């Protein structure tokens, strides 16, 4: 007997698998899915009742049996195997690595085997949009940062970090007293007392450019309290203006890297997002850095600011030597 949690992924994978192997023997397919032929026949009988809304002739998945073989004759749109995107694989790896190092976990070997499988599969994953030079950190670097932070937490030592603050587009040096590591929506954070800000702060691990363990002990003041993240990390400030952007597929990473209040899927893989910002020059630079992969739709003053900056850049480019770049 198979559980529903085992069966659902198998059902989702069966149709594209059979499409790629028309006329395959049921015994061979059962062996590939590590189930009995009897169980696979039950799965195929269930697939016959699945399909598109309407659930009548021409809507349901259709199968053709010939002897001990099976062929899909109508796939109802389930014609692609499930694959992780680069962003999905990275997020899953961050969560699993943190889980593997959680004290008291009973089966760390199982978690590490899952990590190894995902790392192998991630080499074939399609990236969800990687932009070089715009602050996107690689997973390996983030894992190294997390390792240093964990050592500091275990030794109760202070840290010196160089941190990129996206909302101000600025890099600062800070000495912090680590309090705990968090994973919120598959993103790793260091919660620490920041001596520069004189308050508890959350630092995204993928925005830490450099981290060093100091010889001095970590000493958060008694007034330092853990951050309430029950409603998420990002706290909306009503006084901040809201920008509405339309992102092309290659710029969708923006919605993963920066806090966005709303997401709306558009035709062609585009995405409409709403972002609050405190610095107009920062978000204008962000929009221009995306080139033709992003369009600012509102507010009007931001649209005008981006237009002015683009016009100024073009005017300056006209005065560059004609041999530049040749």
């Amino acid at each position: 007997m198979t559980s529903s949690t085992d069966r659902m992924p198998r059902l989702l994978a069966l149709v594209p698998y059979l499409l790629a192997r028309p006329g395959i023997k049921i015994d061979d397919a059962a062996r590939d899915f590590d189930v009995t032929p009897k169980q696979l026949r039950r799965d195929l009988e269930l697939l016959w009742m699945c399909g598109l809304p309407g659930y009548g002739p021409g809507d349901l998945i259709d199968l053709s049996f010939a002897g001990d073989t099976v062929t899909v004759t109508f796939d109802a749109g389930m014609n692609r195997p499930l694959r992780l995107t680069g962003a999905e694989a990275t997020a899953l790896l961050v969560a699993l690595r943190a889980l593997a190092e959680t004290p008291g976990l009973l089966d760390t070997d199982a978690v590490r085997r899952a990590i190894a499988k995902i790392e192998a599969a991630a080499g074939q994953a399609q990236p969800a949009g990687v932009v070089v030079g715009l602050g996107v950190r690689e997973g390996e670097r983030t894992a190294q940062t997390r390792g240093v932070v964990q050592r500091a937490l275990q030794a109760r030592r202070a840290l010196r970090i160089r941190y990129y603050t996206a909302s101000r587009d600025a890099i600062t040096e800070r000495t912090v007293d680590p309090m705990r590591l968090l994973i919120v929506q598959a993103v790793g954070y260091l919660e620490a007392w920041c001596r520069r800000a004189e308050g508890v702060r959350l630092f995204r691990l993928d925005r830490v450019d450099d981290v060093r363990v100091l010889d001095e002990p970590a000493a958060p003041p008694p007034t330092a309290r853990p951050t309430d993240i029950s409603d998420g990390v990002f706290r909306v400030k009503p006084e901040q203006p809201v920008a509405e952007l339309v992102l092309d597929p290659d710029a969708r990473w923006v919605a993963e890297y920066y806090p966005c209040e709303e997401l709306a899927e558009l035709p062609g893989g585009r995405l409409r997002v709403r972002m609050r910002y405190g610095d107009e020059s920062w978000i204008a630079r962000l929009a221009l850095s995306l080139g033709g992969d992003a369009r600012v739709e509102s507010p009007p003053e931001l649209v005008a600011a981006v237009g002015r900056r683009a016009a100024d850049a073009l005017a300056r480019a006209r005065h560059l030597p004609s041999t530049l770049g040749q």
Side-chain angles (χ1 to χ4, degrees), residues 116-182:
K117 289 180 180 179
I118 295 169
E119 286 176 335
Q124 303 172 3
Q126 296 299 315
V130 177
V131 178
V132 178
L134 291 179
V136 176
R137 309 297 195 267
E138 295 183 359
E140 182 178 353
R141 184 174 184 178
T142 303
Q144 292 172 348
T145 297
R146 182 166 42 80
V148 175
V149 170
Q150 286 175 324
R151 290 196 297 274
L153 280 165
Q154 292 168 356
R156 297 184 179 181
R157 297 289 181 181
L159 288 168
R160 184 69 175 171
I161 65 173
R162 186 165 67 240
Y163 188 70
Y164 171 66
T165 304
S167 61
R168 296 198 304 271
D169 193 25
I171 293 178
T172 55
E173 295 268 354
R174 303 164 184 253
T175 299
V176 301
D177 299 290
M179 296 167 60
R180 59 175 177 165
L181 270 174
L182 300 170

Side-chain angles (χ1 to χ4, degrees), residues 237-307:
K237 296 180 180 178
E239 70 275 12
Q240 291 182 327
V242 179
E244 189 167 294
L245 290 79
V246 173
L247 307 173
D248 283 353
D250 285 344
R252 289 175 66 105
W253 63 269
V254 171
E256 301 170 3
Y257 196 67
Y258 299 102
C260 295
E261 293 183 19
E262 294 184 11
L263 301 175
E265 293 287 347
L266 300 176
R270 295 177 303 146
L271 192 67
R272 176 177 280 112
V273 301
R274 288 167 55 85
M275 301 172 59
R276 290 192 180 270
Y277 61 96
D279 185 342
E280 183 181 89
S281 63
W282 168 78
I283 198 164
R285 288 196 303 273
L286 172 65
L288 290 170
S289 71
L290 297 172
D293 290 332
R295 184 176 73 255
V296 180
E297 294 195 330
S298 67
E301 56 269 25
L302 178 59
V303 175
V306 172

